[in-house]
Amino acid sequence: MSRTVYVNGDYLPEEEAKVSIFDRGFLMADGVYEVTSVLGGKLIDFAGHARRLARSLNELDMKAPLTEDELLEIHRELVARNELVDGMIYLQVTRGAADRDFAFPVDAEPTVVLFTQSKPGLADNPVAKTGIKVISIPDIRWGRRDIKTVQLLYPSMGKMMAKKAGADDAWLVEDGKVTEGTSNNAYIVKGGKIITRQLGNEILHGITRAAVLRCAREAQMEVEERAFTIEEAQAADEAFITSASAFVMPVVEIDGATLGDGKPGRVAARLREIYLDEMRKAAV
Ligand code: PDD
């Protein structure tokens, strides 16, 4: 069955949706995006994603094409038209189409595209019971990773390097410290304390990260926001990642070193449960 997607004000069958070859998202990766999960037909932390989208647009001097209410309406309409139960909604805003020039165009209208991805049983992913393996690779991305741009070539290459090495994902390392995963934030747990890199331009300010840390603090878990090395991670009791689509996902192996007994840790499992519980309650 063909999906219904959204392009610049229209709901269309995916085969009919078109964007200009002059679109700066296509030519220059001049665009930003968000991925919002849907569980039971409802949006998880929509407000958080809308807030970060506004920030990304602002940091790049791009016009906000729609209000938060209008965006919510489109998300809901896509869920309804596609009968989406569990999955994700991808949203992309680019600076629009203009004759190719490095300077930003003055009169281009932003291009807005949204589509759904159905993932039945997204929250019951069996991998959460076994955990994932990660490798480490150098972080050679640009210096404004706090802006959620569509420049995803290196993260894609990182996933391929992981796959080639028989792992599931890669953690990126800069100046000897882990920044984040290719498409997720990275955490370790030592002596019950949850350690994750502090916010800055070096990492994406994960919406899941914010919610998970809030859940952890509310559950009286200790949280320390600082950078850590791969060696420290390998010696940790547990590790995990967070993202809108993976929620809280345990990591059981880092660069070939098994963590603890090789099974997902208790802290990660508990956080996943609390996070999903809280988020389902607040879903819109
Ligand atoms: N990725 N760090 C990076 C580099 C990311 O690409 C992502 C999200 C995150 C986690 O952010 P959040 O919790 O807001 O999803 C951290 C999305 C899911 C993606 O590209 O598909």
Side-chain angles (χ1 to χ4, degrees):
M1 195 187 79
S2 158
R3 277 175 288 194
T4 296
V5 302
Y6 175 95
V7 186
N8 296 330
D10 294 323
Y11 293 92
L12 300 165
E14 61 182 79
E15 300 80 10
E16 291 172 26
K18 292 199 171 44
V19 173
S20 165
I21 64 156
F22 296 107
D23 194 276
R24 288 178 61 94
F26 177 60
L27 294 180
M28 292 176 163
D30 188 357
V32 298
Y33 76 107
E34 283 296 330
V35 177
T36 305
S37 275
V38 174
L39 292 178
K42 287 188 161 182
L43 301 160
I44 301 298
D45 214 341
F46 173 79
H49 290 283
R51 211 164 31 242
R52 185 173 59 192
L53 174 69
R55 179 178 182 276
S56 292
L57 290 168
N58 189 52
E59 291 296 310
L60 296 176
D61 285 330
M62 279 168 63
K63 284 187 251 176
L66 297 158
T67 65
E68 183 174 330
D69 284 348
E70 287 166 337
L71 281 175
L72 177 58
E73 177 64 34
I74 298 166
H75 277 72
R76 283 181 164 156
E77 190 64 30
L78 282 179
V79 168
R81 289 187 188 225
N82 292 288
E83 296 174 16
L84 185 65
V85 180
D86 292 341
M88 283 97 75
I89 299 191
Y90 177 88
L91 154 77
Q92 179 168 323
V93 181
T94 75
R95 204 178 302 274
D99 196 20
R100 187 174 182 277
D101 187 353
F102 283 82
F104 294 166
V106 280
D107 51 1
E109 283 304 313
T111 301
V112 184
V113 168
L114 286 93
F115 58 81
T116 55
Q117 290 184 289
S118 176
K119 304 269 177 197
L122 180 64
D124 305 315
N125 188 346
V127 182
K129 296 262 184 299
T130 52
I132 63 165
K133 299 175 182 178
V134 301
I135 58 164
S136 65
I137 59 172
D139 194 342
I140 59 166
R141 297 173 301 163
W142 79 325
R144 289 301 307 273
R145 302 156 194 158
D146 56 308
I147 308 173
K148 198 164 171 59
T149 75
V150 296
Q151 306 172 70
L152 298 178
L153 182 54
Y154 190 62
S156 293
M157 290 167 73
K159 297 260 189 208
M160 293 313 291
M161 288 184 241
K163 211 170 165 180
K164 242 188 184 156
D168 303 290
D169 207 347
W171 278 8
L172 308 169
V173 177
E174 184 173 59
D175 298 331
K177 303 275 172 65
V178 174
T179 51
E180 58 186 334
T182 57
S183 63
N184 42 67
N185 291 113
Y187 307 72
I188 57 173
V189 181
K190 187 74 182 176
K193 191 195 287 176
I194 299 159
I195 302 162
T196 192
R197 194 179 178 105
Q198 71 282 0
L199 296 180
N201 293 346
E202 305 77 29
I203 64 168
L204 185 73
H205 302 188
I207 300 306
T208 319
R209 178 189 182 281
V212 163
L213 292 187
R214 193 174 63 239
C215 290
R217 286 177 172 126
E218 279 169 13
Q220 314 301 328
M221 297 179 183
E222 203 183 336
V223 175
E224 191 179 353
E225 295 182 61
R226 66 160 173 87
F228 55 84
T229 64
I230 286 292
E231 293 69 34
E232 188 182 3
Q234 288 174 318
D237 302 327
E238 0 176 338
F240 61 92
I241 56 163
T242 65
S243 78
S245 48
F247 310 119
V248 178
M249 184 60 72
V251 171
V252 293
E253 193 183 295
I254 302 171
D255 278 342
T258 303
L259 269 71
D261 60 3
K263 297 204 178 80
R266 285 219 304 273
V267 172
R270 173 135 185 263
L271 272 179
R272 183 179 171 90
E273 204 180 296
I274 302 175
Y275 170 80
L276 281 169
D277 244 37
E278 290 293 312
M279 290 295 119
R280 278 185 202 274
K281 270 192 246 162
V284 294

